[in-house]
Amino acid sequence: MLTTRHGVRPLGAADLDAFLELARRDPVVNVFADYRATTTNLEPRWLGGEMWGRFESGELAAACHVGANLVPVSASVDDAAAFAERALARGRTVSTIVGPQEAVRSFWNGVAGSWGQPREARWDQPHLEIAAGPLVAPDPLVRRTTREDMAELYPACVAMYTEEVGVSPEYGGGADLYRARVAQLVNRGWSFARFDDQGRLVFKAEVACATPYAAQVQGVFVPADRRGLGLATAGMAAVVQLVRREIAPVVSLYVNDWNTSARAVYERVGFRETARFATVMF
């Protein structure tokens, strides 16, 4: 397949080994793209989009996942600008640009004039990792969720998403798709929660994606009337312990810079910043 003058072309199954070698130079930061590649074999019909690669002297130098999310992979500022040029030719099809801060900024600078005003841009998001046991005692009542928990779990997932993103995942008829996504995480054993004596959910978190090298956590939530009681700290310690024991050796996540309470929780648990992310949402 022909490349552009900047050496960019869509990747396919024949490129999988080269892509994984690239992504695994930083397997924690690139866990999402690694997971997507290994579960789809880089086939567009399974990706729900494309994976672009930029080549230098015939070698894969950078990549970019282009699906519902656009995610630069091991991309320099120049790589991201080249991906932006290709993106301009096809128009905006993504709902979110997310990834390492400088690559996202470079990409956005290349498309901003044509892609319109974003709904929100979050330029400072610490990317955190923990590769050892938690520094605080895990909550022994945190467990994997089951389908029987959906009556409590699903509303909590909707509430967390709405609070975090600023729009309900059910908006525009998205309830069935979002419920299916929550159920999928439950079925994979990637959904964790604690319930009180009355059966009410008081803490939850999910693994969004995982490889043999790392797992990325999302959806950390405590109901508003139960915050400040230490549920998130002990709950996240339990999630770290369970995930590291049963899913992947390193646990990662990214958090908004202004969310000081969440950042304090993660610091107490033992997470440390290793990179800066940025997210542009439409």
Side-chain angles (χ1 to χ4, degrees), residues 27-28 31 130-133 144 189-190 192 207 209-217 239-252:
V28 184
V31 60
I130 182 169
R144 280 187 166 92
W190 286 5
F192 304 89
V207 169
C209 51
T211 70
Y213 307 97
Q216 187 179 91
V217 169
V239 170
V240 166
Q241 185 179 68
L242 289 164
V243 171
R244 291 191 66 249
R245 186 173 67 213
E246 301 176 19
I247 299 176
V250 181
V251 183
S252 71

Side-chain angles (χ1 to χ4, degrees), residues 13 24 29 33 38 51 77-78 97 99 126 141 159 190 196 214 277:
R24 290 172 183 175
V29 164
T38 53
M51 190 77 78
V77 168
D78 288 342
I97 307 166
L141 298 181
W190 286 5
D196 67 14
F277 271 30

Side-chain angles (χ1 to χ4, degrees), residues 144-258:
R144 280 187 166 92
T145 63
T146 69
R147 283 188 170 271
E148 286 68 39
D149 297 317
M150 284 292 283
E152 278 288 315
L153 177 63
Y154 180 72
C157 289
V158 172
M160 180 285 308
Y161 187 103
T162 304
E163 182 177 332
E164 172 65 20
V165 178
V167 61
S168 170
E170 298 183 326
Y171 177 77
D176 289 346
L177 185 62
Y178 190 65
R179 183 178 291 274
R181 171 61 175 164
V182 174
Q184 182 184 59
L185 295 175
V186 171
N187 292 339
R188 286 178 179 164
W190 286 5
S191 170
F192 304 89
R194 176 185 174 172
F195 300 86
D196 67 14
D197 293 342
Q198 288 73 48
R200 183 191 177 199
L201 184 148
V202 295
F203 166 82
K204 77 162 193 75
E206 295 92 40
V207 169
C209 51
T211 70
Y213 307 97
Q216 187 179 91
V217 169
Q218 67 171 19
V220 180
F221 178 76
V222 172
D225 64 336
R226 301 300 297 271
R227 294 173 188 173
L229 304 177
L231 289 164
T233 301
M236 278 303 299
V239 170
V240 166
Q241 185 179 68
L242 289 164
V243 171
R244 291 191 66 249
R245 186 173 67 213
E246 301 176 19
I247 299 176
V250 181
V251 183
S252 71
L253 54 83
Y254 56 98
V255 60
N256 293 311
D257 185 63
W258 44 260

